[in-house]
Amino acid sequence: MRISRYLLPICAGLGFFLAVAQTANAASLENLYRTLASKNYVDLTHSFGPDTPVWAGFPQAKMSPAADPKTKQPYTIQKDGFRATFYEMVGQYGTHVDPPAHFSETGATMDQIPLKDMILPLVVFDETPLLARDPNHAFSLEDLRAWEKKHGRVPKGAFAALRTDMSKDWDKDPERFKRSAFPAWSLAAVKFLVEQRGVTAIGHESMDSDTTEKMETETYILKTGHYQIEVMDNLDKVPAKGALIVVTWPKVRNGLGFPARAFAILP
């Protein structure tokens, strides 16, 4: 009896503090939502269709009205009250995610990438001033150090994106967008970002990470357990530092790549 008399107020006190903590957490999330809702958002994703650029080794997408398997007739709003599309395309199409398993037999597939790795601090390296003298410039470790001297250290866990303005040719000049060679990353810069700065993922406007056909950078980033987003858009509308990136994709079981939706929340 004596023990219960002591335990009762202790339990009551613990309950009170837990209730306060839960209320505080809920209020904190509400405040966070209000903050995020007040910010400006930038879509980092291209719209795509059957005629948009794709790597030469993959076919163009095919999109057709979904049909009733019994009648073979397409569903329509007038006849059925709904309509749907049948998609036939390679996973690496449009703005897309490359999970580690794309290049590694033991790497994580799309459905295995942690949710916390899909919302990250965003840093953007602007390579465009370097392209006048070298249109196919590989963003170098020297370029990266110059960026850090101006903007500060790349934060641990960040998503590192490379701006080249190739995205402006996506709709305007698709053949130019598909050109080779093109501006992209150097292996040295990406290795530094992973090994010295601890970035979570990288992204770029081109269909590949590398300026050469050796694919050393893409092989490195994926085989070290990091994902990448390719064919990004609107990086010219995002500051060098201070924004957040949110990246989503379908949860395909054992998925090796798929169109993704990425957007930035500006500071």
Side-chain angles (χ1 to χ4, degrees):
M1 296 293 291
R2 189 176 298 169
I3 293 174
S4 16
R5 279 202 305 271
Y6 285 115
L7 282 176
L8 234 99
I10 292 173
C11 290
L14 283 173
F16 170 77
F17 283 115
L18 284 172
V20 169
Q22 287 174 348
T23 303
N25 286 337
S28 176
L29 286 176
E30 288 175 7
N31 291 335
L32 176 60
Y33 171 74
R34 281 196 291 269
T35 299
L36 293 176
S38 70
K39 300 296 183 180
N40 291 323
Y41 288 61
V42 174
D43 196 344
L44 304 178
T45 313
H46 288 286
S47 297
F48 65 83
D51 57 349
T52 49
V54 66
W55 178 58
F58 294 143
Q60 295 291 148
K62 296 178 182 179
M63 302 177 188
S64 57
D68 185 327
K70 295 177 182 177
T71 66
K72 311 300 182 186
Q73 294 300 308
Y75 294 108
T76 66
I77 292 176
Q78 291 77 14
K79 176 168 60 74
D80 306 290
F82 72 93
R83 57 184 173 171
T85 302
F86 181 81
Y87 299 94
E88 183 181 350
M89 62 189 180
V90 68
Q92 275 71 20
Y93 203 83
T95 303
H96 63 267
V97 59
D98 282 341
H102 181 40
F103 271 35
S104 170
E105 291 184 356
T106 58
T109 51
M110 289 162 50
D111 52 321
Q112 296 171 333
I113 294 174
L115 292 175
K116 285 188 177 180
D117 288 353
M118 296 166 74
I119 176 167
L120 301 166
L122 175 62
V123 296
V124 178
F125 301 109
D126 183 3
E127 192 177 21
T128 58
L130 307 171
L131 302 183
R133 68 174 186 272
D134 181 9
N136 305 319
H137 184 71
F139 190 77
S140 68
L141 183 53
E142 181 183 12
D143 301 331
L144 197 158
R145 291 190 185 281
W147 184 96
E148 285 197 322
K149 188 173 182 180
K150 182 177 181 180
H151 300 288
R153 186 183 176 99
V154 173
K156 185 176 181 180
F159 183 107
L162 183 65
R163 175 190 166 190
T164 59
D165 283 357
M166 280 186 69
S167 59
K168 297 182 184 303
D169 291 325
W170 175 259
D171 291 315
K172 185 176 65 176
D173 192 347
E175 288 305 313
R176 175 170 167 72
F177 180 86
K178 293 190 291 186
R179 68 190 183 273
S180 184
F182 47 80
W185 298 99
S186 72
L187 176 60
V190 171
K191 286 188 75 171
F192 181 85
L193 287 169
V194 169
E195 297 172 12
Q196 302 299 322
R197 295 296 180 259
V199 300
T200 297
I202 66 167
H204 38 271
E205 298 178 42
S206 53
M207 289 189 280
D208 284 307
S209 318
D210 302 78
T211 58
T212 72
E213 295 181 359
K214 294 181 180 179
M215 304 187 85
E216 294 175 333
T217 306
E218 190 155 345
T219 300
Y220 171 80
I221 194 72
L222 298 179
K223 286 198 171 184
T224 53
H226 302 267
Y227 74 86
Q228 65 177 10
I229 300 295
E230 297 193 300
V231 196
M232 299 184 74
D233 192 19
N234 291 325
L235 289 173
D236 57 326
K237 299 176 182 176
V238 182
K241 200 174 180 183
L244 295 177
I245 187 171
V246 180
V247 188
T248 64
W249 50 79
K251 192 176 180 180
V252 180
R253 185 182 299 118
N254 300 323
L256 302 179
F258 212 84
R261 189 70 183 267
F263 61 90
I265 305 172
L266 303 190

